[in-house]
Amino acid sequence: MAEKPRIAFFDFACCEGCQLTVLGLGEPLLKLLERVEVVTWREAMSERSDDFDIAFVEGSITRDSDIPRLRRIREQAKVLVALGTCATLGGPHVSANNCDRGELLRLVYGGEGAQFEAGEVRPLSAVVQVDAFIHGCPINGDEFLTVANHLLLGKAYHPPSRPVCHECKLNQYECVLDRGQICLGPVTRGGCDAICTSRGSQCFGCRGLVDDPNLNAAREVLAEHGYTVSDIIGMFDIYSLRSPAAAEARETARQDRGAIEKGAEPWRSR
Amino acid sequence: MAPSALSAADVRSVLARAMESTAVLAPVRRGRSSFAFQWIADPAEAVFSYPRTILPPKQALLPPREDLFVFQRAPEPAVRPPAAPDPITLFGVHPCDLAAIGQLDWAMQERHGICDPNYAARRAHTTIIGLECLPDEYCFCPSVGTAHTRAGADLFLTPVGEEFVAEALTEKGEALLASAGEKRAPSAEARDTWEHWAEDKESRVSRRLKAQPKELPDLLEAEYESEVWEATAARCYSCGTCTSVCPTCFCFDVEDVVEVGLASGARRRQYDSCQFLEFASVAGGHNFRGERPDRVRHRWFRKFVHLNREYGDAFCVGCGRCTKFCTADIGLVEVLNSIVEASE
Amino acid sequence: MTQTRSRRAGPDPSGLYLPRTARVVRAENLTRQDRLIEIALPEGQALGHRPGQFVQVSLLGYGEAPISVSSGPQQTGSFELCVRRLGNVTTALHALQPGDPVGIRGPFGNGFPMDHLVGRDCLVVAGGIGLAPLRSVIHSILARRERYGRLIVLHGARREEDILFRDEIAEWQQDPRNEVLLTVDEPTPGWKGRVGVITTLFPEIEVDPANLVVVAMVGPPVMYRFVILELRGLGIKNDQMFMSLERRMKCGVGKCGHCQIDGRCVCVDGPVFSGTEIMAMHEAI
């Protein structure tokens, strides 16, 4: 058998919940470990190595001082995977970009706020080339395994552009709008198997918008269901779906499949 | 065969009989006000009266996700067909959904003279118990001639008061009926209700198509450039709900899925939708329906022009699901009628 | 011309979706993105295809892609595919080496009307990878050269290095009954041929439209429109043009719905359509 690819996990501004999802995969993770060698994973092990092939990077970039570190990871990694919505689209904290930074720091940290470095919140693709995107807050563990399989086979991974509604209907969940709740399922990228709507919750759009969202329809239809403009905007702003940064990141994710499409099993060149 | 009378308890014993030798898919309650077909573990779970389910019974014959075959990659590549499907019974299938199964049978088993083996294997081991219904505001079965369909059912039940009038339409249906014990004739009153069901049902339908299905191909072709498509697309999310819940849609995508160890996997098909952006894109990058109005028009043309001409009838059974479950409240009949009106 | 309408769905209907495990006999790069793969079916089975038909080629774990057969039906014991690297399946196909297994379903589709070509001149219009299926037509003509009239091949590529089958083209040109005209979009130093899209070649040929059949595959829809205009300018009627259309055939057997153009399925009713059929459809080109 060919040499096992060496895997590393890193994180920037995030809750580390996506790595926790990977850690919680159980048996499939053990099976995956027969195929790969994890060399760095702060959340899971004490050993670490800077010699790795595939980097899974969670979190968004919020400080200029993060940039050299991310670039070093990019330089070393043959394949860089953005893990979770913070990494792929910026995450919920993109909303901080709409606030005055100084005021925000005062609000959160009081008088000590000034000592913290806090800049514009950006997805990884705003700083380096990303080869695969795993959206979700948190990610779907099954999708992580699918992406891992794709990488091991040398396949490019294209996140589905089908909306959450599609998966919700295939699971025969009662429509959230019919339950009297606001829902972003029609414009949100699926791949989560509609996990939120399965548990009586609504879709908050954590995986970002589909490739061709009809936002005018969303406004019109939600208004007809009795929701006000501020209800609708509030819902869209949880994951900053309206922000230019998210739109740019979405477009980058659609266009940029990076190294993987350039050749199968890139780490074999070692 | 003369109809016979069954009590609700009799129907449950028919279901219990069916469950002895087959898996049974039956309508059950889902959420606050919805219904869904589900594989039941107890005859008591099945409901006898429901407006429509989220997914049609199509899910048992053409499942949302299905392995076309399974394979191993190592040590030597090998493929083998999926295991033979278990026999199934579909309970509580409304006349429109019976008609839809007939249309799917044509599409999957006869169209182009090519038979889909996976569909055919499931279909061959399917028993169907039909159930008569009364329409709600989304139904338009009389407009597409499916309101009184019996074909496809082995046993057909009409709820009359507290009882059911049962018609065995095949030997399988006869055997199921026999499991309910001694046959008894329906009361004169029940028989009267049963005989007048069709006209009562027709009279309750408010949603009407303003043209005959056979007229639609030419009417729609003449309105290929109609602004109706643009206007409908302005509201459409392209979420694919209409095609997922449609009992006659059968488009699918195919992809390989592999186990974590990479040693084995399956070539899997899953429902696809002509409403999705990528549906008509090709490897070179061109998208033949990259604009939303093109995709919207395609859905109406597929059902009411192209397959209508090829099959000889509208590829729609009037179940109302696409309209009821549309996330943007787009009405299928309303769109058709606006085309009909534009052409007048 | 109706003889070309095949409804065949493979030898075993119960195995409609099951590929046959074939073996790679030979594989060589033709250009930086195109690889010629010669394949033999198990136990010496013949593919039995007609020029213009396609097969579904698959690698387990990667999926399936529809690819036109590039060799002529006269070739026995094996057939050839010219594979352009575009997605996951074709990238994986490019890694195949002699002896490797590869899944084959088909052949599918109708193919070009070869009987209609007998006794007539043939104009082949091939844009880029479009030469792959048309090479099958050319091989058929060359195998029984005396049955056919003139053979005129127009081939356009992006750059000189992207021209497919260059050695063969030189051989085709040995026979005075054959003419090959080449053009590139981006000339490199030393290129002596024509420059521009494929339509720039039309003014250079003389044809007898009454005795000519056109077979074409030219790339994006807009190129088909331009080519049809040029052909009309030469006095060629729509029913003498036969064009292979590209769609994303997922199943190859008229079920999955992806390749529908108006009321037609490209995988069973096509991929070859006459100019008359194409002009009668809204969505063809």
Side-chain angles (χ1 to χ4, degrees):
Chain A
M1 197 190 121
E3 179 181 355
K4 287 182 183 179
R6 292 159 67 88
I7 305 265
F9 287 84
F10 300 97
D11 43 70
F12 290 88
C14 62
C15 72
E16 301 185 20
C18 293
Q19 290 174 76
L20 205 58
T21 303
V22 177
L23 212 46
L25 280 170
E27 204 158 325
L29 179 61
L30 297 177
K31 206 146 185 222
L32 180 62
L33 291 177
E34 294 169 13
R35 284 276 179 175
V36 301
E37 186 185 352
V38 179
V39 298
T40 295
W41 193 354
R42 188 186 47 77
E43 193 173 278
M45 58 197 265
S46 45
E47 301 85 345
R48 72 181 308 279
S49 164
D50 290 328
D51 181 15
F52 51 86
D53 303 306
I54 302 173
F56 289 95
V57 184
E58 187 180 352
S60 60
I61 302 305
T62 58
R63 306 176 297 191
D64 289 344
S65 58
D66 291 334
I67 292 175
R69 180 173 165 240
L70 179 59
R71 290 208 171 119
R72 277 198 303 279
I73 294 169
R74 173 70 272 187
E75 267 167 40
Q76 172 61 33
K78 298 193 172 67
V79 175
L80 189 151
V81 183
L83 189 68
T85 293
C86 295
T88 61
L89 300 171
H93 42 299
V94 169
S95 58
N97 292 350
N98 300 327
C99 310
D100 178 87
R101 199 67 49 170
E103 196 179 312
L104 196 63
L105 286 170
R106 263 195 309 283
L107 192 72
V108 178
Y109 299 105
E112 290 159 49
Q115 65 184 300
F116 294 107
E117 184 193 354
E120 188 193 356
V121 179
R122 284 155 288 178
L124 303 184
S125 61
V127 179
V128 296
Q129 179 187 283
V130 172
D131 302 314
F133 296 80
I134 309 179
H135 301 290
C137 181
I139 59 160
N140 172 353
D142 288 339
E143 191 178 18
F144 173 83
L145 292 170
T146 300
V147 173
N149 280 345
H150 272 65
L151 296 178
L152 289 169
L153 290 168
K155 288 159 71 176
Y157 180 70
H158 304 217
S161 179
R162 295 154 192 206
V164 172
C165 277
H166 178 64
E167 294 169 353
C168 190
K169 288 298 178 307
L170 294 191
N171 282 305
Q172 304 196 82
Y173 301 142
E174 183 169 55
C175 183
V176 172
L177 289 169
D178 287 350
R179 294 200 303 242
Q181 288 174 295
I182 193 167
C183 186
L184 297 187
V187 290
T188 300
R189 184 183 303 277
C192 53
D193 208 28
I195 186 168
C196 294
T197 61
S198 78
R199 312 293 159 92
S201 176
Q202 58 242 88
C203 171
F204 293 97
C206 81
R207 300 169 63 86
L209 296 174
V210 292
D211 284 338
D212 63 339
N214 191 343
L215 296 180
N216 290 332
R219 272 191 282 276
E220 195 178 317
V221 173
L222 291 175
E224 283 169 15
H225 277 268
Y227 299 104
T228 64
V229 171
S230 72
D231 292 337
I232 299 167
I233 287 178
M235 193 73 175
F236 272 87
D237 282 354
I238 295 171
Y239 284 95
S240 296
L241 300 175
R242 301 180 307 139
S243 75
E248 199 174 310
R250 183 172 85 242
E251 189 53 26
T252 309
R254 198 162 78 87
Q255 301 285 338
D256 192 2
R257 276 121 193 189
I260 299 165
E261 263 173 354
K262 297 191 185 98
E265 302 172 62
W267 50 86
R268 292 271 164 89
S269 59
R270 284 167 70 89
Chain B
M1 191 66 61
S4 51
L6 294 178
S7 68
D10 291 337
V11 173
R12 298 213 190 268
S13 57
V14 167
L15 272 177
R17 175 59 175 269
M19 289 175 73
E20 286 168 14
S21 54
T22 72
V24 174
L25 189 79
V28 301
R29 279 201 168 276
R30 178 63 58 88
R32 286 186 202 170
S33 57
S34 303
F35 294 88
F37 276 107
Q38 187 178 292
W39 300 103
I40 57 169
D42 184 330
E45 291 175 62
V47 297
F48 294 159
S49 173
Y50 69 98
R52 65 180 56 67
T53 54
I54 298 170
L55 292 185
K58 165 178 92 172
Q59 63 188 287
L61 304 170
L62 184 63
R65 292 183 191 88
E66 178 190 23
D67 292 348
L68 292 174
F69 60 84
V70 291
F71 58 74
Q72 65 169 44
R73 298 180 66 243
E76 267 294 291
V79 296
R80 72 189 148 80
D86 293 328
I88 55 174
T89 300
L90 309 181
F91 173 77
V93 181
H94 286 170
C96 58
D97 282 343
L98 285 174
I101 290 170
Q103 298 197 349
L104 272 187
D105 286 350
W106 170 81
M108 298 306 287
Q109 303 187 132
E110 291 166 33
R111 188 177 181 221
H112 304 301
I114 298 171
C115 180
D116 184 287
N118 300 61
Y119 181 94
R122 290 174 194 280
R123 185 68 181 93
H125 298 100
T126 301
T127 304
I128 301 178
I129 303 175
L131 178 65
E132 190 52 280
C133 53
L134 288 173
D136 71 1
E137 70 270 31
Y138 295 101
C139 297
F140 58 100
C141 43
S143 293
V144 285
T146 61
H148 315 301
T149 307
R150 297 286 181 274
D154 295 289
L155 180 64
F156 192 87
L157 308 174
T158 304
V160 177
E162 299 297 300
E163 293 216 316
F164 293 84
V165 174
E167 303 160 76
L169 301 161
T170 65
E171 277 177 27
K172 271 199 280 189
E174 197 64 47
L176 276 174
L177 193 53
S179 66
E182 193 82 9
K183 267 196 192 171
R184 63 191 164 86
S187 68
E189 195 187 345
R191 205 179 163 104
D192 187 59
T193 310
W194 176 68
E195 278 166 0
H196 291 94
W197 192 279
E199 51 199 271
D200 184 31
K201 183 172 183 175
E202 294 255 354
S203 72
R204 289 175 189 235
V205 174
S206 55
R207 211 169 264 253
R208 298 273 173 177
L209 189 54
K210 293 181 178 167
Q212 295 299 314
K214 287 205 186 327
E215 301 170 319
L216 290 172
D218 291 347
L219 283 173
L220 285 164
E221 287 268 33
E223 296 296 325
Y224 188 82
E225 304 289 352
S226 167
E227 56 205 28
V228 167
W229 312 120
E230 196 92 34
T232 307
R235 254 188 100 82
C236 174
Y237 287 115
S238 307
C239 72
T241 290
C242 51
T243 58
S244 300
V245 302
C246 177
T248 68
C249 273
F250 54 91
C251 289
F252 57 83
D253 193 14
V254 182
E255 66 171 355
D256 281 14
V257 290
V258 285
E259 303 296 329
V260 175
L262 306 184
S264 60
R267 186 152 296 161
R268 187 165 292 170
R269 71 170 156 201
Q270 53 187 332
Y271 290 0
D272 204 345
S273 174
C274 56
Q275 300 308 299
F276 294 152
L277 180 62
E278 303 288 329
F279 187 82
S281 63
V282 295
H286 188 78
N287 190 339
F288 286 88
R289 286 183 222 106
E291 300 298 324
R292 207 183 308 274
D294 295 340
R295 300 201 290 280
V296 166
R297 174 175 55 203
H298 177 80
R299 175 165 157 79
W300 269 266
F301 268 60
R302 168 112 164 149
K303 298 205 159 293
F304 299 103
V305 180
H306 306 311
L307 287 176
N308 191 349
R309 284 192 177 130
E310 198 180 329
Y311 176 70
D313 206 345
F315 226 68
C316 166
V317 295
C319 72
R321 283 187 182 87
C322 59
T323 303
K324 165 73 179 88
F325 298 112
C326 178
T327 48
D329 299 327
I330 294 168
L332 178 125
V333 170
E334 284 70 12
V335 169
L336 282 175
N337 282 346
S338 63
I339 292 288
V340 174
E341 281 157 17
S343 68
E344 276 167 0
Chain C
M1 266 172 289
T2 50
Q3 94 283 350
T4 60
R5 298 283 178 240
S6 163
R7 292 287 156 94
R8 197 145 41 118
D12 176 12
S14 71
L16 198 61
Y17 298 117
L18 284 175
R20 291 182 271 178
T21 303
R23 294 278 166 185
V24 174
V25 176
R26 184 176 58 99
E28 61 172 284
N29 288 336
L30 296 178
T31 71
R32 63 207 153 112
Q33 55 189 354
D34 303 302
R35 192 165 167 86
L36 190 72
I37 304 174
E38 183 182 344
I39 294 169
L41 289 170
E43 292 142 19
Q45 291 168 25
L47 183 64
H49 73 289
R50 287 189 301 276
Q53 285 193 300
F54 67 96
V55 286
Q56 289 280 6
V57 189
S58 67
L59 290 170
L60 302 177
Y62 293 86
E64 222 172 22
I67 296 177
S68 298
V69 182
S70 202
S71 51
Q74 296 77 16
Q75 181 172 329
T76 53
S78 67
F79 60 95
E80 290 166 349
L81 305 175
C82 179
V83 180
R84 174 158 291 183
R85 197 166 88 183
L86 285 170
N88 280 332
V89 178
T90 49
T91 297
L93 289 173
H94 268 233
L96 287 177
Q97 298 300 328
D100 285 347
V102 59
I104 296 289
R105 290 194 300 129
F108 298 120
N110 56 0
F112 287 102
M114 294 309 295
D115 290 353
H116 186 62
L117 285 171
V118 173
R120 294 188 168 90
D121 296 342
C122 179
L123 172 62
V124 177
V125 187
I129 189 76
L131 187 58
L134 294 169
R135 175 175 174 259
S136 182
V137 176
I138 295 169
H139 279 197
S140 269
I141 291 173
L142 297 181
R144 300 191 63 181
R145 191 67 193 82
E146 71 290 348
R147 296 179 71 191
Y148 304 90
R150 292 168 65 203
L151 170 65
I152 308 157
V153 180
L154 311 183
H155 177 42
R158 178 166 295 175
R159 288 181 237 165
E160 185 178 3
E161 73 220 45
D162 298 323
I163 294 173
L164 294 167
F165 306 111
R166 299 195 67 182
D167 297 345
E168 282 189 31
I169 286 173
E171 279 176 40
W172 302 342
Q173 286 172 315
Q174 299 295 310
D175 188 324
R177 292 170 293 184
N178 306 339
E179 296 162 57
V180 183
L181 280 74
L182 303 172
T183 181
V184 298
D185 295 338
E186 301 166 16
T188 41
W191 172 250
K192 294 190 181 63
R194 294 141 193 94
V195 175
V197 293
I198 199 159
T199 47
T200 59
L201 297 174
F202 283 92
E204 314 226 355
I205 56 170
E206 277 180 38
V207 295
D208 170 13
N211 190 41
L212 183 85
V213 178
V214 180
V215 294
M217 182 159 191
V218 290
V222 62
M223 286 310 298
Y224 282 87
R225 292 198 283 271
F226 286 137
V227 165
I228 289 173
L229 279 179
E230 292 289 338
L231 293 171
R232 290 233 191 94
L234 291 172
I236 300 161
K237 297 207 163 60
N238 285 344
D239 62 1
Q240 298 300 93
M241 309 172 190
F242 296 88
M243 311 210 161
S244 183
L245 301 182
E246 185 194 9
R247 288 298 187 278
R248 182 169 155 242
M249 283 85 85
K250 280 282 179 176
C251 71
V253 292
K255 303 298 180 197
C256 79
H258 280 273
C259 69
Q260 187 183 339
I261 304 178
D262 292 23
R264 319 291 292 274
C265 276
V266 174
C267 65
V268 289
D269 300 320
V272 178
F273 294 95
S274 73
T276 312
E277 291 172 300
I278 287 172
M279 298 318 287
M281 294 189 280
H282 290 290
E283 290 186 327
I285 53 174

